[in-house]
Amino acid sequence: MFCLGASNFMSAQTVTGTVTDDSSQPLPGVTVIVKGTTTGSATDFDGNYSISANNGDVLVFSFVGFETQEVSVASNVVNVTMQAGIALDEIVITGLATSIKRSNSANAVATVSADDLAGRTPPQTLDGALAGKFTGALVTSNSGSPGGGLSVKLRGVTSINGNSQPLYIIDGVYLDNSSIFSAGLNDVSNASGGGASATANQDNASNRIADINPDDIENIEILKGASASAIYGSRGAAGVIIITTKRGKQGKTKINISQSNGWNEALNLQGQRNWTAALAESAFGEGALYTAAESAGTLRDYEKELFGEKGFISNTNVSMSGGNEKTTFFAGFSRNQEDGIVKNTGYDKSSIRMNLDHKLNDNIKLSLTTNYINSSADRGFFNNDNAGTTLGVALTATRPWDFLLPDENGNYPDHPNNSSNPLQTRDLMTNNERTNRFITGGNIDINLLRTDNQSLKFGARAGVDHFTLTAKVIFPKELQFQRPDQGGVNGVSAISTTTNTNANYSAFLVHNYNTDNDMSFTTQVGVTNQQFSQNIVRVTASDLIASETNIDQAANVNTGQVRLEQEDFGFFAQEEVNFQDKLIATIGVTGDKSTNNGDIDEFFYYPKGSLAVNLSNFDFWGDNDVLNKFKLRTAYGEAGTFAAFGSLFTIFNNTLIDNNVGIIVPITRGNPSISPERQKEFEIGFDAGLLNNRVSVEFSYYLKKVEDLLLRADVATSTGFSSEWKNAGELENKGVEIGVNIKVFDNEDFSWDSNISWYTNESEMTKLNVPTFNLGGFGNSLGQFQIEEGKSVTQIVGTTGPGTPVSVLGDAEPDFQMSFINDLRYKDFTLSFLWHWKKGGDNINLTKLLSDFGGTSADYDGLDVDPDGQIPNGDYRIVNGLFAGNARPFVEDASYLRLREVGLYYTIPDETLDKWFDGIVSNVKLGFSGKNLINVFDYNSYDPEVSNFGGNGLSTGVEVTPFPSSKRYMFHLSVQF
Amino acid sequence: MKITKKFNIIILTIGFLAFTSCSLDGGESLNGASTSSISDDLSRGELPQAISGILSDMRDRLNTQVDVQSIMGREYYYFTSSDPRFEGDVVTGNLDNQTFYTTNVWSTRYAAIKEANLALEGLANTTSDFSAQETAAIRGVLNTLKAHELLMVSNNQYTNGIRIDVADPDNLGPIVGYDEALTAILGLLTDAAVDLASGGSSFPFNLTSGYTGFDTPAGFLQFNKGLTARVEAYRGNYSSVLSLLGGSFMNMAGDLNEGVYHTFSLTGADLSNPLFIAQNQEANVRVAHSSFLVDAEAGDTRTNKVTLRDTPREASDLVGTHDVWIYQSLLDNVPILRNSELILLYAEANMVSNPAEAVNAINVIRNAAGLVDYAGAQTPSALEDEILNQRRYELFAESHRWVDMRRFGRLSELPNDRAGDMVPSAVPIPFDDDF
């Protein structure tokens, strides 16, 4: 296969010509190929090309966004006019080194284009922008905190204690998506001090995908399961999200400037009880205080006080693209600033990018991407707490007649019935995450061999992702709960510094062989190497000097350090056979090993195979105008998930007593023979195009099994440990994804594109080799998740009364999700909106219970929680709920229907622009857009999309006084030069 | 030909890369010492850290342990806005076997026991140059501390039973009943006493300042004997109690507060006293049960252990008018075993056989609390009442009341303020260990 072939032209002539579009503009970069061979060329800056071809040969002209044309060679000049066409020739990536036409792909690879991602409304973070845009995903925002913090679950729960967030790759660089909690927060809130699962992280940290600028992105491909992501081996089980950023295009340098401004406001505030002096008296005996506050005019809605800000948003984006036939570039600069709905919270990000492509000669292509991001997020102080200090918990104890505002000298009164004054905490505390990140990647493609039938390409890729995350948490000594007379530690200042460097290298060979009867064989082999290095240093200082915050300006200093070093090495091989675009079969295998495994030299192998049958390309199909395209596809693949770093070892923790350092056993016992989980996915489906592709339908069914599940299984605590790492279970996810795309209208004046998708997933723990265990909650009387053989992985269980057995009260998996995307265009106006409906899926809502204990729940006096309608809600939840060991009132349906994105734009007509600006300016767009403008849900709190325990693992959907979510209103102006 | 050359170079490069990248380097533990480094071979350098680890971990979750036992003993209530189960489950006696009040205390005590077992295993396997005396001294301390932790668990789970043999996590011994557990604990303590007696004159490690006066093998032996006396009192072997007290630090003329303590500090990774709450708080409070003051004898200075609040604190129909004010800062020590308890054990042991001597001991305690000598009957049952009374006030909020009332069969005498409240006799075995 690698042997050289002799050229077989006897009488080659040079054919030249010009390629133009339908407005007679020359088209540079059009690919020209002699059909059935690998002889190819491309048009230059002026649309001219030249190629070797005989009379009678067929030349194939193809260019993204235009219909491919085939022209027979009759003379030595062939000019062609290309017609703009639908993107059926769209390319999707398959394997690590090759791409394939979407029409030939055997997997349901989802794609999100730049327009879909950020074109409707500017997203706050990249992963948040994915919600509702493709089937098979459950994207949940952990809270409304600015700066992100999301979980993306593709096709159900992939792992219980292992990683369940997908792998993100940007231009070939493996991205780090860690979520690192900041020191200092738990010391004050003591959230992990009493009752919550010890392994959970409740500090509302963001995750690093938030750093990527969505405006830089050209498109995103999502490989949802092992059948597509097998090639990524032990990292691919939770899915792979492949991001491609914008690249330069040949031609005149284009500069694009866009500016968006707007504001955000709370989505769904809960409100107040209908307070009167009589109610204040019966609830707290404070009727007199109420009357006094009423007459002094100091009654205040503290929820509005805390969450009622309108945060100002400003996004500026400048990008430049251009180049000639040898070198093209894309440069972009963005500045995003956003204030949160709570004072002193916000997000500020600057990103600068330079992408360069250079053709050394006809055979060697280089490309480079570089990106620098600097961001700062102020996230407030929310979520679970055992000391009454987080803003949300403090609010539950706050009554409208309490006086919490500062005097003219800035002194805040103590809270009369709580250990902290939320306004004081909000104004004086700091919780800031600052990131400095460099992402750089380079690519070289060399054509080693090119004959008519064969080509051999060598590629090498290198990428580095380096960031420094500095988190600063400061609770000054003036705070009520920091004062020593209140039992405080006189101020806390904590710094967490994380340095993270990931590097990945790969090299591969791709060989292409075409036979005469249009059968092509593509072989790829390659090796990959990834290196990960992370060092987190956390220092917490308490008992601070005056108003200093440096960590040495303190009496007591506590330190901690966690390091991670890992190296993976792998190889892959894949063979793809394409028979006339009718049958496309792929088979491949990836093998990798890692220092993270018990045996660092042991290879784990992940095979894959797939078959796509384009029935509509067969002769027997003929030319059917109704069902013009039909493809059956099936794929199988295996991928893995690594054990968490350190699970091999049982490491002592350190402690201090009376200045003596001591070693104490950890909570989790390590397992020296731990191995990765293995996912096996089978997918089958079809793609159909009806009415000349006016309607296209995509249907997939998948069955995903995960074996050797990594479980942090509970162990009998008399061992001295609470849990132990084991490969000890199997789970299964199966689901259906349906997508329908309809071009309802397509005239010159009016067009309407509609996309409807429906998807569902069901999970089951098929085998559990350890006893049933719980996670992600606070006990059976409040509701928690339970991993049990034969049951749904995401089931929520609890007791329903005194002495009752534990029973299933709900399930966090939605019944189904639907999204409706509509793009309408009328003359120069475009209106585009995305509705997202999640039906089913339950949350554990503990926010209301805490405000019941404070007597401040807005619905305390209602009668809708008691099934008999007799007992007021607040009393019912406390007495008939918690005290009676009945967890039913806390498991709530978290369905929602959201208008996630809507955008209305007006493009100023070209003629008007030419008149005003003499052709300097083009493509001026004005518009208005919004995010989460309409939200319909019955859920009894701020937002059903919430997670107290962060983004990883099983426990999304538990809420304990979170940072409320917000809706955004934005105005835009963009101009192109 | 040019192509072949380039081609060959590339193939060689790939092959080279493939071979050099092929062997991975790394995979060691980065973030701490592994437990096998102790249990495989306890070295002289690791020994102090292992001991300090046990002493430190004995303080872990002390608040949950003491709070739950004090609530069940109706000494005080703990109200917190962050967890209503302290005024719910714990007071109603509906103890769930998967909730923190059952699971956390059991797991943290067993963690300390595990640390002692790892050190004992390491000591048995050691290649270091410990002398026979040093080895005996180390073993004596480890077994005493291990016995203390097992006793803490046994006090909670009572007749539900506890596990004694937990050295091998893959092969746990069975749950044994209360009597067998106490016998095993007694066995550990007496073995430790023998070891300490031949332990030489000093320890090859530091104890904390809470062990001042008991930080030599001979001194520690006195602590061991005092603890053993307590266990024998639980078993009803009063003659044994008397002989053990003779070898302990009991001193009727000495400082009542002499003894062994948990210490706390705010430095670095050290723990602060988890039982300290400032007075007049609202969100988190420990409020004395009303009966504490109502039942007190006039003039008892120990009523100063509670202070009147500015405003009463009420939660779910339970009311507290007085804050518990034993620990007055984050740095205060918490007693493990005090002279006053030993004197009261002495009184209890003499209750039947030598009532006059019992009264002497009772009077030491009474006089120190500003009360006149005991003038009541000297029958065993009257003395039992008086001793329980003195233990209630002397050892207030030190998790003795519930245990004492239970071992004398008097849990039903403890007050229940609301209908539906109940004092349980034992905490259930945690769900994960119930096999």
Side-chain angles (χ1 to χ4, degrees):
Chain A
M1 284 254 248
F2 292 90
C3 57
L4 297 168
S7 161
N8 59 3
F9 285 125
M10 287 291 104
S11 55
Q13 60 175 336
T14 307
V15 176
T16 62
T18 312
V19 181
T20 55
D21 66 14
D22 49 14
S23 48
S24 302
Q25 296 297 318
L27 277 176
V30 176
T31 308
V32 187
I33 294 184
V34 179
K35 186 164 182 178
T37 75
T38 54
T39 307
S41 179
T43 56
D44 65 12
F45 199 78
D46 296 315
N48 299 326
Y49 72 92
S50 87
I51 195 169
S52 252
N54 280 339
N55 282 345
D57 283 339
V58 174
L59 291 179
V60 182
F61 295 82
S62 63
F63 192 54
V64 169
F66 289 84
E67 278 186 17
T68 304
Q69 291 221 17
E70 298 186 359
V71 181
S72 246
V73 176
S75 70
N76 61 353
V77 174
V78 177
N79 292 326
V80 168
T81 306
M82 307 274 291
Q83 306 291 326
I86 15 190
L88 261 191
D89 288 18
E90 190 190 334
I91 308 287
V92 295
I93 295 181
T94 176
L96 282 171
T98 56
S99 52
I100 194 178
K101 283 199 294 200
R102 174 177 282 283
S103 50
N104 289 342
S105 163
N107 283 100
V109 176
T111 319
V112 180
S113 65
D115 271 338
D116 247 340
L117 188 70
R120 223 165 277 119
T121 184
Q124 200 187 38
T125 62
L126 172 58
D127 37 7
L130 296 174
K133 302 213 177 135
F134 57 94
T135 58
L138 182 59
V139 179
T140 313
S141 175
N142 300 334
S143 75
S145 268
L150 277 100
S151 81
V152 175
K153 290 199 171 60
L154 299 175
R155 291 192 171 164
V157 171
T158 309
S159 179
I160 295 177
N161 291 128
N163 172 47
S164 59
Q165 296 271 47
L167 173 64
Y168 288 84
I169 300 186
I170 189 166
D171 298 325
V173 183
Y174 281 49
L175 278 181
D176 183 279
N177 188 23
S178 312
S179 189
I180 296 164
F181 68 91
S182 311
L185 292 171
N186 193 53
D187 297 85
V188 175
S189 73
N190 200 24
S192 292
S197 321
T199 56
N201 163 28
Q202 306 177 63
D203 291 329
N204 197 24
S206 61
N207 54 317
R208 299 269 55 76
I209 282 301
D211 298 333
I212 308 300
N213 178 17
D215 288 313
D216 285 346
I217 296 179
E218 177 66 50
N219 87 336
I220 298 185
E221 273 173 32
I222 299 107
L223 309 182
K224 297 182 245 183
S227 60
S229 63
I231 208 86
Y232 292 91
S234 295
R235 293 195 173 268
V240 183
I241 296 186
I242 302 174
I243 302 171
T244 312
T245 54
K246 294 179 175 154
R247 310 216 74 99
K249 288 201 209 347
Q250 265 188 45
K252 178 167 152 311
T253 306
K254 288 201 179 67
I255 303 178
N256 212 306
I257 303 180
S258 74
Q259 173 71 34
S260 311
N261 283 88
W263 75 92
N264 55 31
E265 57 188 43
L267 195 138
N268 181 32
L269 288 181
Q270 295 297 287
Q272 301 283 306
R273 267 171 103 167
N274 290 328
W275 291 110
T276 59
L279 186 58
E281 185 64 36
S282 65
F284 307 110
E286 293 186 1
L289 288 176
Y290 177 91
T291 321
E294 191 180 22
S295 33
T298 56
L299 281 178
R300 198 166 259 106
D301 182 344
Y302 279 101
E303 189 192 33
K304 267 223 190 76
E305 185 74 36
L306 209 55
F307 301 135
E309 301 294 315
K310 282 195 176 27
F312 175 68
I313 306 174
S314 165
N315 288 344
T316 311
N317 190 49
V318 179
S319 68
M320 216 158 66
S321 129
N324 56 28
E325 62 254 359
K326 271 197 170 293
T327 314
T328 57
F329 74 94
F330 171 84
F333 168 74
S334 281
R335 185 81 210 281
N336 301 330
Q337 286 168 285
E338 178 182 339
D339 291 331
I341 57 172
V342 175
K343 275 204 196 124
N344 280 339
T345 61
Y347 188 52
D348 199 321
K349 180 169 78 184
S350 307
S351 156
I352 185 163
R353 168 180 293 279
M354 169 66 112
N355 287 352
L356 212 56
D357 288 293
H358 180 67
K359 275 205 202 29
L360 214 60
N361 53 42
D362 268 342
N363 291 323
I364 303 185
K365 224 170 58 155
L366 299 162
S367 70
L368 180 70
T369 66
T370 57
N371 187 205
Y372 167 70
I373 304 137
N374 181 311
S375 74
S376 164
D378 287 292
R379 298 177 61 78
F381 186 38
F382 288 86
N383 281 357
N384 192 22
D385 152 286
N386 283 313
T389 54
T390 58
L391 299 184
V393 172
L395 191 63
T396 65
T398 307
R399 303 156 194 173
W401 54 92
D402 291 336
F403 191 73
L404 300 175
L405 270 66
D407 64 14
E408 62 274 1
N409 289 330
N411 298 315
Y412 289 79
D414 281 354
H415 197 299
N417 18 280
N418 190 47
S419 52
S420 74
N421 175 343
L423 300 186
Q424 183 194 36
T425 314
R426 172 196 70 184
D427 293 339
L428 298 184
M429 67 116 9
T430 304
N431 176 12
N432 176 281
E433 289 181 9
R434 185 173 290 270
T435 313
N436 261 308
R437 191 171 193 175
F438 285 91
I439 303 172
T440 314
N443 218 342
I444 181 169
D445 281 309
I446 305 178
N447 283 321
L448 293 175
L449 172 67
R450 229 199 326 227
T451 68
D452 310 316
N453 292 1
Q454 297 184 57
S455 71
L456 179 64
K457 190 177 83 160
F458 167 77
R461 206 173 278 163
V464 175
D465 174 14
H466 172 90
F467 71 82
T468 310
L469 168 64
T470 311
K472 205 164 60 164
V473 170
I474 300 173
F475 291 95
K477 54 172 65 175
E478 289 77 30
L479 289 169
Q480 178 187 342
F481 55 92
Q482 286 293 316
R483 293 206 312 266
D485 65 88
Q486 300 288 311
V489 294
N490 207 27
V492 170
S493 171
I495 298 219
S496 316
T497 309
T498 307
T499 325
N500 189 87
T501 309
N502 294 356
N504 62 291
Y505 308 95
S506 56
F508 45 84
L509 280 174
V510 180
H511 179 258
N512 224 301
Y513 179 73
N514 292 320
T515 65
D516 287 330
N517 59 340
D518 245 352
M519 208 156 125
S520 79
F521 296 85
T522 310
T523 315
Q524 54 176 299
V525 294
V527 292
T528 61
N529 176 282
Q530 289 101 35
Q531 294 160 10
F532 304 89
S533 158
Q534 191 179 80
N535 185 8
I536 309 175
V537 176
R538 297 187 173 95
V539 184
T540 311
S542 63
D543 201 356
L544 305 175
I545 293 175
S547 49
E548 296 303 308
T549 57
N550 276 10
I551 50 185
D552 60 339
Q553 301 289 311
N556 305 306
V557 176
N558 196 352
T559 58
Q561 179 180 13
V562 180
R563 284 187 297 147
L564 185 154
E565 303 272 339
Q566 180 174 339
E567 188 174 349
D568 306 340
F569 171 78
F571 69 85
F572 63 91
Q574 180 174 295
E575 178 72 38
E576 182 188 298
V577 179
N578 181 333
F579 177 64
Q580 297 175 356
D581 272 357
K582 292 176 184 160
L583 277 171
I584 304 103
T586 316
I587 187 165
V589 69
T590 301
D592 60 30
K593 61 179 180 177
S594 165
T595 57
N596 211 28
N597 296 325
D599 179 356
I600 66 177
D601 288 320
E602 185 181 354
F603 267 100
F604 290 87
Y605 296 96
Y606 301 100
K608 70 176 265 194
S610 70
L611 178 65
V613 183
N614 269 322
L615 286 172
S616 44
N617 283 354
F618 280 84
D619 297 327
F620 68 77
W621 195 266
D623 257 326
N624 192 336
D625 265 340
V626 178
L627 190 60
N628 62 301
K629 180 174 124 71
F630 192 72
K631 175 173 81 173
L632 280 173
R633 49 179 165 75
T634 179
Y636 172 82
E638 298 182 13
T641 299
F642 278 125
F645 183 74
S647 12
L648 294 172
F649 313 106
T650 312
I651 308 285
F652 279 115
N653 288 330
N654 64 326
T655 182
L656 193 70
I657 181 167
D658 217 9
N659 289 314
N660 297 323
V661 74
I663 44 183
I664 51 180
V665 290
I667 293 171
T668 307
R669 190 181 170 204
N671 183 345
S673 51
I674 200 90
S675 66
E677 292 177 342
R678 178 172 290 267
Q679 180 191 123
K680 300 180 173 167
E681 187 191 43
F682 170 74
E683 184 192 279
I684 191 166
F686 67 80
D687 293 339
L690 294 103
L691 305 174
N692 232 334
N693 288 331
R694 230 163 115 177
V695 177
S696 56
V697 178
E698 214 178 83
F699 173 89
S700 305
Y701 167 81
Y702 61 85
L703 175 63
K704 212 161 85 152
K705 284 199 217 275
V706 182
E707 295 170 2
D708 285 335
L709 264 184
L710 287 164
L711 293 177
R712 197 193 232 122
D714 282 350
V715 293
T717 50
S718 54
T719 54
F721 304 105
S722 294
S723 50
E724 170 176 40
W725 282 114
K726 277 197 168 129
N727 290 103
E730 286 177 19
L731 68 77
E732 188 180 277
N733 275 296
K734 42 184 190 258
V736 168
E737 296 165 4
I738 305 177
V740 178
N741 202 307
I742 309 173
K743 285 189 202 330
V744 187
F745 281 104
D746 195 3
N747 306 331
E748 204 190 296
D749 270 351
F750 179 65
S751 74
W752 178 10
D753 250 347
S754 186
N755 182 302
I756 306 166
S757 49
W758 184 94
Y759 48 105
T760 180
N761 182 75
E762 197 180 280
S763 67
E764 183 186 329
M765 264 321 275
T766 43
K767 196 145 73 150
L768 187 61
N769 298 338
V770 294
T772 302
F773 66 94
N774 295 101
L775 73 168
F778 298 92
N780 280 327
S781 49
L782 294 172
Q784 54 186 350
F785 290 86
Q786 181 162 293
I787 305 300
E788 193 179 345
E789 186 170 312
K791 294 291 180 64
S792 161
V793 179
T794 46
Q795 63 167 352
I796 299 175
V797 303
T799 47
T800 50
T804 54
V806 170
S807 54
V808 179
L809 299 176
D811 195 322
E813 183 84 61
D815 297 336
F816 64 82
Q817 293 186 69
M818 272 189 94
S819 69
F820 304 88
I821 303 180
N822 285 289
D823 295 313
L824 293 97
R825 182 185 63 82
Y826 176 68
K827 298 210 175 144
D828 292 314
F829 288 89
T830 56
L831 171 67
S832 166
F833 50 93
L834 157 59
W835 285 95
H836 183 194
W837 180 21
K838 169 175 166 270
K839 169 98 171 54
D842 298 316
N843 278 4
I844 301 175
N845 177 0
L846 300 175
T847 306
K848 271 290 169 306
L849 179 66
L850 287 180
S851 52
D852 289 335
F853 273 98
T856 55
S857 306
D859 70 340
Y860 197 103
D861 307 302
L863 295 171
D864 40 280
V865 176
D866 179 5
D868 297 326
Q870 302 285 328
I871 306 173
N873 292 344
D875 295 325
Y876 188 85
R877 283 188 291 251
I878 296 176
V879 178
N880 301 61
L882 176 65
F883 286 169
N886 173 19
R888 253 198 250 278
F890 311 115
V891 180
E892 282 190 50
D893 188 335
S895 305
Y896 58 76
L897 171 64
R898 267 201 227 285
L899 177 59
R900 271 202 191 272
E901 296 183 2
V902 62
L904 173 63
Y905 292 93
Y906 173 67
T907 311
I908 298 185
D910 288 331
E911 306 84 53
T912 326
L913 281 180
D914 286 338
K915 234 186 348 179
W916 291 353
F917 295 107
D918 238 354
I920 302 176
V921 175
S922 63
N923 223 339
V924 176
K925 240 165 56 155
L926 306 154
F928 159 79
S929 75
K931 178 169 155 217
N932 289 345
L933 294 186
I934 302 178
N935 301 277
V936 179
F937 52 80
D938 264 336
Y939 185 70
N940 195 8
S941 189
Y942 298 105
D943 190 337
E945 229 187 288
V946 68
S947 170
N948 179 55
F949 290 104
N952 211 350
L954 210 48
S955 355
T956 51
V958 179
E959 87 159 72
V960 189
T961 63
F963 189 119
S965 344
S966 51
K967 49 171 91 156
R968 291 152 69 103
Y969 298 86
M970 309 272 292
F971 296 92
H972 311 269
L973 171 63
S974 73
V975 175
Q976 195 175 71
F977 295 92
Chain B
M1 287 304 108
K2 215 162 147 199
I3 295 175
T4 329
K5 192 165 155 209
K6 256 193 244 171
F7 171 62
N8 286 334
I9 293 176
I10 303 298
I11 292 293
L12 281 168
T13 321
I14 292 202
F16 175 77
L17 277 173
F19 280 118
T20 53
S21 331
C22 232
S23 64
L24 294 178
D25 208 1
E28 302 89 38
S29 152
L30 290 180
N31 293 312
S34 71
T35 51
S36 49
S37 74
I38 296 293
S39 56
D40 285 348
D41 181 357
L42 181 67
S43 72
R44 193 176 278 280
E46 290 165 330
L47 173 65
Q49 288 142 20
I51 300 282
S52 299
I54 300 169
L55 292 171
S56 175
D57 238 3
M58 283 167 67
R59 310 172 296 175
D60 197 7
R61 304 269 197 211
L62 205 52
N63 49 341
T64 312
Q65 181 182 316
V66 174
D67 284 337
V68 171
Q69 289 181 344
S70 302
I71 295 172
M72 294 195 296
R74 296 295 184 264
E75 297 184 272
Y76 63 72
Y77 289 122
Y78 175 54
F79 300 147
T80 168
S81 56
S82 310
D83 203 321
R85 286 172 290 190
F86 279 107
E87 65 215 52
D89 299 3
V90 183
V91 187
T92 60
N94 284 335
L95 299 176
D96 174 53
N97 68 350
Q98 287 195 67
T99 310
F100 73 94
Y101 45 68
T102 304
T103 55
N104 283 2
V105 180
W106 171 288
S107 64
T108 47
R109 298 283 73 77
Y110 273 106
I113 292 166
K114 178 67 180 172
E115 283 142 23
N117 279 336
L118 284 169
L120 284 166
E121 195 182 328
L123 188 63
N125 293 338
T126 189
T127 58
S128 283
D129 61 344
F130 294 117
S131 69
Q133 287 185 327
E134 287 177 317
T135 308
I138 298 167
R139 216 172 31 229
V141 170
L142 289 173
N143 276 325
T144 305
L145 296 177
K146 175 174 164 185
H148 176 266
E149 294 299 277
L150 282 169
L151 183 64
M152 294 296 104
V153 184
S154 179
N155 280 350
N156 261 347
Q157 266 65 27
Y158 189 53
T159 45
N160 286 333
I162 64 170
R163 223 181 280 282
I164 298 289
D165 174 15
V166 292
D168 182 357
D170 296 317
N171 269 318
L172 293 171
I175 301 261
V176 304
Y178 184 62
D179 295 325
E180 202 183 322
L182 282 187
T183 311
I185 292 169
L186 181 72
L188 283 171
L189 286 169
T190 39
D191 287 346
V194 170
D195 275 329
L196 287 167
S198 53
S201 55
S202 69
F203 286 127
F205 53 80
N206 284 337
L207 289 166
T208 67
S209 58
Y211 289 79
T212 309
F214 302 97
D215 49 6
T216 60
F220 201 87
L221 179 59
Q222 292 187 314
F223 163 53
N224 171 300
K225 297 239 166 161
L227 191 59
T228 317
R230 185 200 284 175
V231 176
E232 284 289 47
Y234 288 176
R235 296 175 80 234
N237 287 346
Y238 288 139
S239 53
S240 201
V241 173
L242 289 170
S243 58
L244 285 163
L245 285 174
S248 75
F249 58 94
M250 185 190 83
N251 184 354
M252 301 241 263
D255 181 2
L256 287 183
N257 284 328
E258 189 179 344
V260 168
Y261 289 82
H262 295 295
T263 57
F264 301 94
S265 96
L266 290 167
T267 317
D270 207 336
L271 297 178
S272 60
N273 184 326
L275 291 166
F276 163 71
I277 293 182
Q279 294 163 301
N280 290 310
Q281 293 299 294
E282 282 300 325
N284 309 311
V285 299
R286 289 187 175 92
V287 288
H289 192 272
S290 49
S291 62
F292 184 74
L293 286 176
V294 166
D295 296 346
E297 263 183 64
D300 190 339
T301 57
R302 293 168 297 191
T303 53
N304 294 338
K305 292 187 181 182
V306 304
T307 54
L308 180 65
R309 290 173 57 86
D310 293 339
T311 52
R313 171 72 154 87
E314 196 232 316
S316 312
D317 292 333
L318 299 168
V319 183
T321 50
H322 286 73
D323 281 325
V324 173
W325 190 235
I326 301 178
Y327 306 111
Q328 296 167 12
S329 84
L330 289 166
L331 309 173
D332 279 5
N333 293 344
V334 171
I336 297 175
L337 182 64
R338 288 190 295 139
N339 188 18
S340 50
E341 183 191 343
L342 296 179
I343 294 174
L344 285 166
L345 284 173
Y346 183 70
E348 185 183 330
N350 279 316
M351 191 164 73
V352 175
S353 55
N354 191 349
E357 192 56 19
V359 174
N360 284 343
I362 291 170
N363 287 337
V364 169
I365 301 294
R366 288 178 62 95
N367 297 152
L371 296 173
V372 300
D373 284 354
Y374 177 66
Q378 296 197 1
T379 58
S381 71
L383 286 175
E384 182 182 307
D385 289 344
E386 177 60 12
I387 288 169
L388 277 174
N389 199 38
Q390 290 310 314
R391 285 180 71 95
R392 175 185 183 182
Y393 286 89
E394 189 66 29
L395 306 173
F396 175 65
E398 291 176 29
S399 22
H400 285 276
R401 181 70 172 157
W402 181 60
V403 177
D404 291 338
M405 292 299 266
R406 179 178 65 197
R407 62 195 178 92
F408 282 99
R410 292 172 164 219
L411 283 181
S412 53
E413 288 174 26
L414 289 171
N416 285 310
D417 294 341
R418 307 175 299 196
D421 286 351
M422 182 197 68
V423 175
S425 63
V427 179
I429 297 180
F431 178 73
D432 289 311
D433 250 300
D434 208 349
F435 58 87

